[in-house]
């Protein structure tokens, strides 16, 4: 598959928005276009998770460079995002909201807010926002908190002192979406280094410790964590741009002049004489040829491969609810299948009209499967599985014709 040269985020956004606004996209493609636009527009969403007392508030202060709430008050669940000036919006238990200039003060926190959105003019917040998730340490509250934050998270930081068995169980049983990109942040300098963090699904372990002078907003070890976040954000942006390029390669409308040129190149010249001995072409007539045995044999091998892969996929989906990490496995399975299928058809070089059309369908499915794998997620995995099953039906119908 040919991949277009890398484009910048601003250029990708402009082209994606133009494709969306043209209103010529199929419904699924339009939805995917919107998701890619959202991913390119918004900062990477970093969730700060962990049990009470794990150091989440201290870590958020360190990201901000100062205390984000008055005194030692433990804030409710809060989001720290970019704003041209410091401002806090509090959501109260009855659903009412209060907005105040500046960071949260004691008077605002005393009103019993259940959620705070804190805006600050920090340059780093243009690239990332932070969601501190507050929850009681009971299994019920932790499960609910993790489920709530999963669709609002691109990268998870699990704060811990020792990462004991209880925490391991919370993390192991939590939503798979949180584990796509996750780091373990150990906040107790006196505790032994956590072992087995990679097996638990974390991409790295980063120890941090309070500053010697106790200054709020300062933690030793933050430089390494900041550098890792910057690398992960660059990688996420590259993936989003890859997804944008694949989408635009498939769905971006071509200029009218380019389309006309392509049609002119493929059409016979009006004054070109017909080959001697050939009957005049009838553009309105469709030529139907009987299916040749060689054509059936050529399509049988890739069809048998596709049928076996589809059966294996259905078995994997049947166990999806009982096993973790299924979305990534399904997406990899579908991508590998479509790419191998394209190779099988390419090797036999279909020259009949129907076989060539089927070949093009497989190439498009292969590109779409790669795009869905770049996006990741359970919804994309289900869409990729549907794509594979649709291909199986197309092969079956072609062989039955």
């Amino acid at each position: 598959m040919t991949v277009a040269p890398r484009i910048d985020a601003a250029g990708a956004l402009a082209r994606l928005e133009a494709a969306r606004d043209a209103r010529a996209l199929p419904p699924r493609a339009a939805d995917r276009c919107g998701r890619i636009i959202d991913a390119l527009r918004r900062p990477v969403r970093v969730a700060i998770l962990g049990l009470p007392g794990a150091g989440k508030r201290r870590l958020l202060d360190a990201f901000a460079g100062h205390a984000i709430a008055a005194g030692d008050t433990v804030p409710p669940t809060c989001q720290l995002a970019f704003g041209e000036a410091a401002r806090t919006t509090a959501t109260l238990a009855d659903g009412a909201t209060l907005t105040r200039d500046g960071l949260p003060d004691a008077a605002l926190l005393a009103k019993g807010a259940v959620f705070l959105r804190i805006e600050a003019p920090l340059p780093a917040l243009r690239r990332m926002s932070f969601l501190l998730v507050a929850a009681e340490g009971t299994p019920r509250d932790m499960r609910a908190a993790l489920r709530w934050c999963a669709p609002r998270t691109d990268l998870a930081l699990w704060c811990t002192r020792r990462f004991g068995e209880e925490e391991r169980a919370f993390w192991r049983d939590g939503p798979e979406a949180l584990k796509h990109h996750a780091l373990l942040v150990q906040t107790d300098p006196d505790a032994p280094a956590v072992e087995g963090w990679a097996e638990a699904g974390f991409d790295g372990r980063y120890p941090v410790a309070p500053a010697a002078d106790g200054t709020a907003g300062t933690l030793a070890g933050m430089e390494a964590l900041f550098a890792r976040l910057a690398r992960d954000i660059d990688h996420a942006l590259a993936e989003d741009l890859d997804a944008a390029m694949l989408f635009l390669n498939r769905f971006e409308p071509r200029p009218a002049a380019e389309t006309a040129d392509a049609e002119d190149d493929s059409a016979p010249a009006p004054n070109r004489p017909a080959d001697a001995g050939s009957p005049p072409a009838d553009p309105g007539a469709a030529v139907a040829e009987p299916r040749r045995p060689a054509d059936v044999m050529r399509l049988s091998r890739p069809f048998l491969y596709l049928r076996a892969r589809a059966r294996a996929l259905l078995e994997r989906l049947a166990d999806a609810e009982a096993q973790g990490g299924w979305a990534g496995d399904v997406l990899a399975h579908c991508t590998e299948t479509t790419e191998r299928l394209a190779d099988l058809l390419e090797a036999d070089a279909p020259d009949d009209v129907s076989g060539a059309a089927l070949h093009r369908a497989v190439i498009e499915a292969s590109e779409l499967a790669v795009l869905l794998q770049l996006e990741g997620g359970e919804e994309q995995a289900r869409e990729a599985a549907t794509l594979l099953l649709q291909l199986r039906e197309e092969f079956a119908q072609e062989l039955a014709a």
Side-chain angles (χ1 to χ4, degrees):
M1 181 178 60
T2 301
V3 178
R6 183 169 297 282
I7 52 180
D8 65 279
L13 274 172
R15 291 168 60 186
L16 289 167
E17 289 169 349
R20 179 199 60 192
D21 295 342
R23 300 186 181 279
L25 296 174
R28 282 188 178 181
D31 180 64
R32 191 175 305 113
C33 183
R35 292 201 302 267
I36 299 173
I37 289 173
D38 288 343
L40 287 173
R41 276 180 174 168
R42 69 170 179 248
V44 170
R45 301 168 300 177
V46 180
I48 301 177
L49 310 169
L51 294 177
K56 300 189 297 291
R57 156 74 189 274
R58 188 181 298 157
L59 184 63
L60 185 62
D61 287 349
F63 281 124
H66 52 73
I68 56 95
D72 295 327
T73 305
V74 177
T77 294
C78 59
Q79 181 185 42
L80 178 63
F82 181 81
E84 296 297 339
R87 182 173 61 176
T88 301
T89 300
T91 301
L92 307 182
D94 61 2
T97 59
L98 297 174
T99 300
R100 299 284 188 273
D101 290 337
L103 299 175
D105 56 21
L108 184 61
L109 293 173
K111 294 183 180 296
V114 295
F115 181 80
L116 297 176
R117 176 178 169 83
I118 306 167
E119 297 178 9
L122 300 174
L125 296 178
R126 292 185 181 275
R127 300 192 71 204
M128 64 187 92
S129 64
F130 297 94
L131 180 66
L132 185 156
V133 181
E136 298 295 330
T138 64
R140 178 180 178 181
D141 284 346
M142 287 299 298
R143 282 196 298 266
L146 295 178
R147 285 197 303 268
W148 176 83
C149 78
R152 299 167 173 84
T153 300
D154 299 313
L155 194 154
L157 303 179
W158 184 276
C159 293
T160 185
R161 299 178 69 82
R162 288 170 170 78
F163 202 56
E165 288 303 319
E166 183 183 33
E167 288 183 80
R168 290 178 186 269
F170 286 144
W171 179 252
R172 181 182 62 247
D173 299 336
E176 286 300 315
L178 290 176
K179 303 170 190 175
H180 291 164
H181 301 286
L183 303 175
L184 186 71
V185 181
Q186 190 168 3
T187 59
D188 187 347
D190 299 323
V194 171
E195 301 292 341
W197 52 266
E199 291 78 2
F202 294 102
D203 299 323
R205 181 189 73 89
Y206 289 84
V208 297
D213 60 1
T215 304
T218 304
L219 287 177
M222 285 298 293
E223 296 82 359
L225 181 56
F226 259 125
R228 175 58 186 266
L229 288 177
R231 290 197 304 271
D232 286 349
I233 290 171
D234 287 340
H235 181 70
L237 177 59
E239 288 186 343
D240 291 337
L241 288 174
D242 286 342
M245 286 185 287
L246 285 168
F247 182 91
L248 291 168
N249 284 342
R250 185 179 184 203
F251 291 106
E252 185 175 31
R254 288 191 298 170
E258 181 182 337
T259 305
D261 289 343
E263 292 173 352
D264 289 344
D265 290 340
S266 61
N271 297 325
R272 183 180 302 163
D275 293 336
S278 299
D282 179 3
V287 179
E289 296 183 1
R291 172 69 69 195
R292 296 172 295 178
D295 297 332
V296 175
M297 291 299 295
R298 182 170 59 231
L299 295 178
S300 294
R301 186 162 68 113
F303 173 64
L304 291 175
Y305 169 76
L306 176 58
R307 189 172 66 176
R309 295 287 289 182
R311 186 185 304 116
L313 175 64
L314 290 174
E315 293 173 357
R316 180 71 181 92
L317 288 173
D319 297 334
E321 296 300 326
Q323 300 182 23
W326 67 273
D329 293 344
V330 167
L331 287 165
H333 181 99
C334 293
T335 300
E336 180 182 341
T337 302
T338 54
E339 289 179 348
R340 174 60 178 157
L341 199 60
D343 290 341
L344 289 172
L345 288 173
E346 181 69 28
D348 290 323
D351 53 5
D352 60 293
V353 174
S354 57
L358 196 58
H359 190 201
R360 287 194 299 271
V362 170
I363 293 297
E364 290 184 357
S366 178
E367 292 180 350
L368 182 55
V370 172
L371 173 62
L372 291 169
Q373 188 176 22
L374 283 170
E375 293 182 10
E378 295 183 359
E379 180 183 349
Q380 288 76 9
R382 293 188 181 94
E383 188 171 346
T386 301
L387 182 70
L388 210 61
L389 298 177
Q390 288 174 343
L391 275 181
R392 185 185 65 177
E393 293 303 314
E394 289 186 35
F395 267 83
Q397 291 172 10
E398 190 63 37
L399 285 168

